Amino acid sequence: MEPINVLRRMRRWSGNFSKPPGPERISIFLTNRCNLNCRHCWRQWAEWDRSCASELPDARWLRLVDEAAEMGARHWIFLGGGEPLVRRNLVVQMIEKMACYNMSSLIHTNGTLFSPEMIEKIMGKNVQSINFSIDGPDAATNDYIRGGGFEKAIANMRYFADAKHKLGVKFPCLYLYVTITNLTYDRVDHFVDLAASIDPDVRILLSALIVEEDATAQLALSPEQRCTFPEMIQKGIRRAEELGIVTNFQRYLDVELTEDSTNMQRNVRTTQRLGLSGAMCYEPWLSAAIMPDGALGPCCAFYESRRPLSIKDLTFEQVWLGAYMARVREGMFNGKPPAYCARCPSNLFVDKEEMRIFLTEYLRRDEAPRYKRWAGIVRRLGATLREQGPTGLRRHIQAWWKFHRKQREESS
């Protein structure tokens, strides 16, 4: 999510608008079904509707796109409680409809169910990224963890890369999405070699393992392995620099991201509330996650055994502005967030923390007395002039004017 767009949306929550805005981003879990059997997947131990009879029909998901467009949503993420491409025909229809509204999307997938026909259909449809879950740098390791799929997923990545080159396009960006386990923590550089062997533009995202029960505990890093992990990350960084592969390795030099993964909010505290500033997380204002049965929460960590309001029976707007989400938002100020916040995935945690710091600063400025706001503007303009010169100052003022003019247009 672009920080400026996010700030504009947050200001609409506190400004003089007829109603609050919709989310910037919507994560959708179309199904809990999957064609693989990963050892670290929540489906192994959690209770869920194995008959899948509660899944929303295609027509309801397609209508959701129209409703979200009316509320100004901009980005979509296809996630899987299972594998989203189990419903690949629906995925294609939704992507085509999203493109008509100029919405972008991201697909998170095991990568095995793409067909050449599907790949060709979604090219040029504003699919920005595709994350391929690959948990080993070779077939033997990956397939031991994930129950198969390595060769097919890598072949599909190559097909995408070839299609991009033939069409001369940059998107979708292709990512290896790697969960860190004790089988691969010391082979981070091997994933770099794998990415380079597929295509030089393939990127790598590491993600910390969420340890919740015996199967995941068996894949978790030991204390000794966690101590040596930064060294392995440094080795991976050097190899990525050699081969020109983009990664997120740098953030995992912070060893806390791989420790106590079911207590990610342990060091986050709310600050003094001033308007909408001071929340411990802004996902409930910016993001929605919708489960296969239509239950709606704030993010991809969302899980409630007692299901809250669902878009199965209500409109998207009614659920987004309903009682459950109102309680979640209030919990971000009173120190009582939902229990699932402790399971915030490592990458989402880092991203939302960066966004929280950014939004808190700007929202506090909005609440300050006018004379303080103008004094701050003069101070920042002076700093820009010193650092970037007259040309940089002019660009800064033009960007500021464009941003605020758009805000006035939206409020009128």
Side-chain angles (χ1 to χ4, degrees):
M1 291 188 286
E2 291 293 329
I4 293 299
N5 291 334
V6 166
L7 177 60
R8 184 182 295 120
R9 196 169 293 262
M10 285 302 302
R11 282 172 168 165
R12 288 185 62 195
W13 277 92
S14 57
N16 297 319
F17 293 87
S18 58
K19 64 179 179 181
E24 179 84 359
R25 175 185 64 206
I26 303 175
S27 299
I28 49 176
F29 296 75
L30 299 181
T31 183
N32 286 330
R33 290 172 285 166
C34 189
N35 61 317
L36 297 183
N37 193 32
C38 301
R39 293 173 179 268
H40 52 328
C41 180
W42 68 275
R43 296 166 70 252
Q44 300 284 3
W45 67 87
E47 294 183 9
W48 56 283
D49 176 16
R50 296 177 187 274
S51 73
C52 299
S54 61
E55 287 184 3
L56 293 180
D58 291 7
R60 183 63 189 99
W61 286 112
L62 291 167
R63 193 165 75 251
L64 172 66
V65 179
D66 297 320
E67 294 174 351
E70 290 177 3
M71 297 192 68
R74 298 165 59 90
H75 308 292
W76 296 79
I77 303 178
F78 290 91
L79 290 166
E83 166 55 43
L85 297 189
V86 167
R87 301 182 71 174
R88 53 189 171 273
N89 291 335
L90 172 60
V91 171
V92 170
Q93 291 178 67
M94 293 186 74
I95 287 173
E96 290 175 340
K97 197 165 194 177
M98 292 167 189
C100 292
Y101 286 114
N102 199 30
M103 297 169 167
S104 64
S105 61
L106 177 154
I107 304 172
H108 195 108
T109 172
N110 63 39
T112 63
L113 297 180
F114 283 111
S115 66
E117 295 76 19
M118 179 182 180
I119 291 172
E120 291 168 9
K121 282 182 179 179
I122 66 176
M123 295 296 290
K125 295 296 192 302
N126 217 12
V127 179
Q128 297 293 298
S129 306
I130 304 178
N131 295 347
F132 289 76
S133 291
I134 301 291
D135 291 330
D138 53 69
T141 308
N142 178 83
D143 293 354
Y144 172 78
I145 296 172
R146 302 187 63 82
F150 181 84
E151 298 296 348
K152 182 62 175 174
I154 298 302
N156 283 332
M157 290 191 78
R158 290 198 170 101
Y159 195 101
F160 264 110
D162 289 343
K164 287 171 60 179
H165 290 307
K166 288 176 183 176
L167 294 172
V169 297
K170 295 182 179 180
F171 300 105
C173 293
L174 305 177
Y175 289 86
L176 292 175
Y177 196 91
V178 180
T179 299
I180 302 162
T181 69
N182 55 24
L183 300 178
T184 58
Y185 81 100
D186 56 349
R187 292 195 285 165
V188 174
D189 56 323
H190 292 200
F191 285 102
V192 178
D193 292 333
L194 173 62
S197 73
I198 299 168
D199 188 85
D201 290 333
V202 170
R203 304 176 181 186
I204 307 175
L205 293 175
L206 295 183
S207 181
L209 177 70
I210 297 177
V211 181
E212 293 193 282
E213 49 69 66
D214 291 343
T216 48
Q218 292 174 14
L219 294 171
L221 273 60
S222 67
E224 294 77 16
Q225 290 169 333
R226 284 200 298 271
C227 287
T228 61
F229 187 52
E231 180 183 340
M232 304 302 153
I233 288 291
Q234 291 283 15
K235 185 177 179 182
I237 290 173
R238 291 192 295 271
R239 186 59 174 158
E241 290 173 347
E242 290 172 6
L243 297 180
I245 299 297
V246 176
T247 76
N248 70 341
F249 293 173
Q250 197 76 31
R251 65 174 45 173
Y252 284 90
L253 291 173
D254 178 0
V255 295
E256 284 195 357
L257 284 181
T258 59
E259 296 177 350
D260 201 7
S261 61
T262 56
N263 191 21
M264 291 299 287
Q265 298 285 355
R266 57 191 176 277
N267 295 324
V268 179
R269 299 289 182 271
T270 56
T271 56
Q272 182 180 3
R273 181 172 185 173
L274 190 61
L276 282 177
S277 72
M280 66 184 297
C281 177
Y282 287 99
E283 289 293 299
W285 288 267
L286 301 171
S287 170
I290 303 175
M291 299 297 108
D293 63 358
L296 186 149
C299 65
C300 62
F302 166 59
Y303 175 79
E304 292 279 7
S305 55
R306 294 180 62 184
R307 305 309 265 171
L309 297 177
S310 169
I311 65 165
K312 178 180 180 181
D313 307 307
L314 301 169
T315 67
F316 175 61
E317 180 178 351
Q318 286 173 322
V319 182
W320 172 247
L321 299 178
Y324 177 76
M325 287 298 292
R327 289 197 301 272
V328 172
R329 292 177 188 118
E330 186 59 30
M332 296 302 162
F333 289 109
N334 63 21
K336 297 179 180 179
Y340 51 76
C341 289
R343 300 174 62 256
C344 187
S346 54
N347 287 319
L348 175 60
F349 179 80
V350 174
D351 292 341
K352 74 93 181 172
E353 277 296 280
E354 291 175 352
M355 191 63 72
R356 181 179 69 87
I357 293 168
F358 168 81
L359 287 174
T360 295
E361 176 185 353
Y362 278 88
L363 292 173
R364 283 195 180 282
R365 289 181 190 175
D366 291 348
E367 298 295 332
R370 179 168 295 185
Y371 76 91
K372 286 189 176 181
R373 293 204 302 272
W374 278 107
I377 290 172
V378 171
R379 186 169 59 251
R380 290 191 294 275
L381 289 175
T384 301
L385 179 62
R386 289 191 299 272
E387 295 170 5
Q388 302 177 25
T391 302
L393 178 61
R394 184 170 62 253
R395 285 198 303 266
H396 184 84
I397 292 173
Q398 289 171 343
W400 181 90
W401 179 257
K402 182 179 179 181
F403 172 74
H404 286 276
R405 183 177 62 187
K406 187 167 184 178
Q407 276 208 308
R408 288 195 299 272
E409 290 172 354
E410 290 177 349
S411 62
S412 61

